[in-house]
Structure formats: C-alpha cells, structure tokens
Amino acid sequence: MQAINFAARRKKLMQWMGPNSIAILPSATEKVRSHDVHYPFRQDNDFWYLTGFNEPESVAVLIPGRKHGEFILFNREKDVTQEIWHGKRLGQEGVVEQLGADDAFPISDIDDILPGLMEGKERIYFGFGAHPEFDQDIMDWRSQLQSQSVRGSEPPGELVDLRHHLHDMRLIKSSAEIQRLRHAAKTAAKAHCELMKACKPDKTEMQMEAVLHYHYVQGGCRYPAYPSIVAGGDNANILHYVENSDVLNDGDLLLVDAGCEFEHYAADITRTIPINGRYSKEQAQLYDIVLEAQLAAIEMIKPGNHWAQIHDKAVEVITKGLVELKILKGNLKDLIKRGAYRDFFMHKTGHWIGLDVHDVGDYQVHGQPRVLEPGMVLTVEPALYIGKENTKAAKKWRGIGIRIEDDVVVTRDGYDILSKDVPKIREEIERLMAKADR
C-alpha cells in the first residue's frame, strides 16, 4: 500500500481531533516464544493503519496544525551491528523519506521530547489498555508536566480514548483495502480447493493444515491470519479446535476454518467436506440446512439493512430445518423466541473482518443494530454442531459438525463474496474431490 493511503488516514483522523490536540500511538512489542526465541513480529493494527511502519520500539505522534510538521515518529536508530544480526532498520531518515514522517527522533530520546509535544494540549488521544506499560509512560509524562505548571509550563488537558473513532474509520474499507482482502480471500480459496483434492481417509489433520499453508505461501501470503482449525469428525463440534493432530476417518466430515493474511489483511473461510469424498444421507441433510441458512443470510447484506437481520435470517432457516428433521419440535416462532436452536448453533452468524480477523467496529450504535454501509466487510458463518454427547438429538445425527463461512463486502447495491472461488454446493465439492487421485 502506498504512503499516500496512510497519509490520507492520518489527515482524516486529525480533522476529527481538532486543534490543540495530540494523538500518541505505540507500536507492538516483540514477544518471546521461548527463552531467547521470539515469535515473528506482528505490528499493532492501529499503528499500522496510520503509519505503514512495520518495526517494533516505535511511537507515532499526530499533532494537527503543528508548524514543523504534524506526523512525528520515534523509532530505532540505524545500527550496523544490530542490522547484521536482526535485519534492516529504516532509521530516522528512512521514515521521513519512505513513510512521509515530518519529523523523526530516536526512540531513546522520547522521554526528553514527547512531554514537550504534549505540553499545553487540550486533549491527549490515546488507546488506553492496549499497551499497559506505555499507559504508565503517558501518565508519568502528564504528571511531570502538571508538576512543572507552577514554574510556568502549561499542563495538558483531558485524556481521551482514541480507539472508538479510529476503529469506526477502520470499519469502512477503502478500495485499496478491499483489493488486499480480495487477494487474501482468493489465495485462501485456492488453498481450500487444494485441500479438498488432497483429503482422504487415514491422512491427518496436520497434513491437511500443511496443504493450506503451502498454498498460502504460493499465493504470496506468508502467514495464516489465525491458527487454522482442521477438525475431523466430532472435533468439528469444538468451535476453536486447533490441535489438528488426529487421523481422518472414513465416513466422517472434515471442518476446515482457515485463512491467510496479505499485507496485514485477513481472510476467514470455512468449508465442511466429506473425508471420503461423499456425504452420507444424514450429513447431507444437515449440510443443506446450513447452506440454505448461509445463502439466505447473505441476501440480507445491502446498505440500509442492519447487522442483526443477517443473524436473524440464519436462525430462522436453521430452526425451520431442525424442525423438518424432527430434531426440534414445536412452533417455529416460539422455538426461535426461546432460543431452542442454541443447543446446536450457539454463536452469532458473523463478524467484521479486516486487519484483524475479528475486526474492530461496533455492532450496535445507540443500542440499535448497526446499519450496513458500502465498504464494510464481514463474514457469514451459520453452523450446526451436534456432538457425540448431545442427547438432545437422535443418535444418527451425533458427531456431525458443519460450518460454512464466506467473506463478504457490502457494495452500493448489495454484496460481493470475496471468497466465492471455493465451492460450497455439495455436488460441486464432491466433483472436485472426485477429480483427485483417491
């Protein structure tokens, strides 16, 4: 993404902040995996959204109307020895030249410089709670300025949480963001298709996970967007199953909830496939209910409709299907009102997706479900879970877990399914799996 995209976001945020204010955003920190081995660094998404800078030990500062430049970065200095061991750094000149920072200072100088930038500001915008250690730094600098006010320094004013407005900005995706979400979804869809072709009895969940990750990298996406769920048989009834260690059994289903990340933007796709290439009668009956619910829920996506309509439609179709299969008994409206479906479908039908796989943004505004707008991107993922121990369903249904999930962008006149390249009609899945060498 070009520097101009990040500059436009900063400009929009500073227009909202108003004069005589300051926003302070720290980067993510490096995390230790074990002893002296770190996890791969992953930047804080709010920091990335405004800077495009992918180094730790950094702090971004925005000061609307500052004569010497509104965008300031504190970051690591160039260091030949450290760069030999751990990789290149942009340094102060680099962030000015490549990221468009107006000023840049060594992170080691932040205690000497940042309090002066805070001095006299009516509002300090900051994301409280996201970085507790840095929270304390902010409070210490503010206290320092307040103690100096008796000597003529002007103390800063109120502390304001930045995240609510910033996350509202992130909720509406630009065309550049949708391009990256689309690439992530297309790459993940390709990986799902390859997994379908590779799947067969006696292979392992772990081997199927490896197929996914290989094709992510082939598509230019180095990392999964989240730990892959590759759940055979009754494991599918564990919503966030990530062990991925079991053997795939003939006659079971395989639920695969997996997506990759492209330039920080996530894909999140779920398909449920027959390990031996053919759905059984009971599997097919439950699968078709979930698919019908998903298709109906997606039709609810258009500007002006609200978030809850998507879930409500999925619940209606799933409950009706369970009644038709005699898993639930009673009046449809009464069953929905009582939440009888929750024994088999206990989560909401989707979530926002973007830089975070469960992306930021309110689902309600002033106590009412959020109205959909063009540029919002969400998942639609109805499901049925009937675990082996669930005695509320007949034995023939037990041990079956099914979820179908797609990534969908709200357009001006409806929706566009970003993950449409991976099949979800039963017959299409069976045909794709039949083409493989089984």
Side-chain angles (χ1 to χ4, degrees):
M1 196 174 290
Q2 296 180 341
I4 191 172
N5 297 108
F6 299 101
R9 295 169 184 169
R10 294 192 296 270
K11 181 179 179 180
K12 182 177 180 181
L13 180 63
M14 286 189 283
Q15 287 173 340
W16 169 81
M17 289 168 55
N20 203 26
S21 63
I22 184 172
I24 305 169
L25 297 97
S27 69
T29 57
E30 293 181 292
K31 306 294 184 184
V32 174
R33 182 178 185 271
S34 178
H35 188 44
D36 60 350
V37 177
H38 288 78
Y39 287 103
F41 179 69
R42 176 60 165 77
Q43 188 58 277
D44 176 271
N45 283 327
D46 286 340
F47 183 89
W48 170 264
Y49 183 78
L50 293 172
T51 67
F53 188 37
N54 203 34
E55 291 186 21
E57 298 180 63
S58 306
V59 175
V61 178
L62 303 180
I63 306 177
R66 179 173 176 263
K67 290 182 180 179
H68 301 293
E70 298 177 314
F71 174 35
I72 303 158
L73 268 172
F74 293 87
N75 63 311
R76 301 178 301 183
E77 293 183 88
K78 298 286 289 181
D79 184 313
V80 173
T81 301
Q82 288 297 316
E83 291 182 57
I84 288 172
W85 282 91
H86 301 297
K88 298 293 184 182
R89 300 177 175 184
L90 281 185
Q92 284 66 59
E93 289 185 8
V95 297
V96 171
E97 293 173 0
Q98 297 183 38
L99 303 180
D102 297 305
D103 261 337
F105 302 100
I107 189 67
S108 56
D109 292 344
I110 195 168
D111 286 327
D112 298 323
I113 297 172
L114 187 52
L117 297 174
M118 294 168 60
E119 183 180 350
K121 297 297 184 289
E122 294 177 8
R123 293 172 305 283
I124 300 172
Y125 290 99
F126 180 69
F128 298 99
H131 304 274
E133 291 184 6
F134 198 75
D135 287 1
Q136 188 59 52
D137 291 336
I138 293 285
M139 299 305 296
D140 289 346
W141 291 325
R142 188 168 182 265
S143 297
Q144 173 187 329
L145 289 169
Q146 287 174 328
S147 66
Q148 292 173 354
S149 62
V150 295
R151 299 197 298 269
S153 295
E154 188 176 353
E158 62 178 333
L159 295 166
V160 182
D161 196 328
L162 177 68
R163 289 173 297 179
H164 184 268
H165 184 78
L166 180 57
H167 292 176
D168 254 15
M169 286 177 57
R170 281 177 54 186
L171 181 57
I172 307 296
K173 273 62 176 180
S174 66
S175 59
E177 291 179 286
I178 292 171
Q179 287 173 5
R180 281 149 183 80
L181 287 163
R182 190 182 303 279
H183 181 87
K186 288 180 75 69
T187 301
K190 168 71 172 174
H192 275 263
C193 290
E194 294 300 325
L195 181 149
M196 290 178 185
K197 291 188 284 187
C199 181
K200 61 182 178 181
D202 298 327
K203 288 195 173 184
T204 65
E205 295 167 340
M206 190 186 306
Q207 287 173 310
M208 296 300 97
E209 183 179 22
V211 173
L212 293 169
H213 292 192
Y214 172 80
H215 287 284
Y216 293 164
V217 174
Q218 291 295 101
C221 301
R222 183 177 178 189
Y223 296 113
Y226 54 95
S228 300
I229 298 169
V230 186
D234 197 44
N235 291 338
N237 293 303
I238 303 170
L239 271 62
H240 291 149
Y241 172 83
V242 293
E243 284 81 0
N244 301 349
S245 57
D246 284 356
V247 173
L248 303 181
N249 296 316
D250 195 347
D252 281 349
L253 296 177
L254 177 64
L255 186 155
V256 181
D257 184 337
C260 50
E261 184 176 277
F262 180 65
E263 295 184 7
H264 294 258
Y265 288 87
D268 184 1
I269 302 172
T270 306
R271 293 293 185 265
T272 308
I273 65 175
I275 289 168
N276 64 12
R278 299 287 294 181
Y279 293 91
S280 71
K281 178 182 176 182
E282 288 76 20
Q283 291 167 353
Q285 287 175 303
L286 292 174
Y287 187 95
D288 288 348
I289 291 171
V290 178
L291 180 59
E292 182 184 352
Q294 201 223 23
L295 295 174
I298 289 173
E299 289 301 318
M300 295 294 102
I301 299 176
K302 62 180 180 181
N305 277 6
H306 60 71
W307 172 262
Q309 287 174 274
I310 302 166
H311 180 64
D312 291 346
K313 178 55 70 173
V315 164
E316 176 189 332
V317 174
I318 281 177
T319 306
K320 180 174 178 288
L322 292 174
V323 169
E324 290 174 351
L325 294 181
K326 297 182 171 47
I327 296 173
L328 289 178
K329 297 178 181 179
N331 176 268
L332 178 62
K333 289 184 178 179
D334 181 58
L335 290 168
I336 292 172
K337 185 177 180 180
R338 291 193 290 110
Y341 60 88
R342 292 195 186 101
D343 288 322
F344 313 102
F345 176 39
M346 61 290 296
H347 57 74
K348 292 295 186 182
T349 304
H351 53 80
W352 308 126
I353 186 168
L355 289 170
D356 285 295
V357 66
H358 295 153
D359 208 21
V360 295
D362 292 333
Y363 293 94
Q364 290 193 330
V365 178
H366 305 303
Q368 298 299 315
R370 185 143 204 162
V371 174
L372 300 177
E373 301 176 44
M376 292 178 172
V377 186
L378 59 146
T379 68
V380 182
E381 50 177 310
L384 280 172
Y385 309 101
I386 308 178
K388 286 184 176 180
E389 307 302 320
N390 190 340
T391 58
K392 294 187 177 182
K395 190 173 182 180
K396 67 179 180 178
W397 307 114
R398 297 177 199 169
I400 298 176
I402 297 167
R403 183 164 66 248
I404 305 171
E405 177 181 22
D406 281 298
D407 303 340
V408 186
V409 59
V410 184
T411 63
R412 291 178 182 175
D413 56 0
Y415 63 84
D416 180 17
I417 302 174
L418 301 178
S419 49
K420 55 180 172 284
D421 289 351
V422 54
K424 59 186 174 183
I425 305 297
R426 278 192 299 110
E427 293 79 6
E428 293 179 359
I429 291 172
E430 289 177 343
R431 281 197 296 272
L432 180 61
M433 296 183 74
K435 293 179 182 179
D437 180 11
R438 310 191 66 79

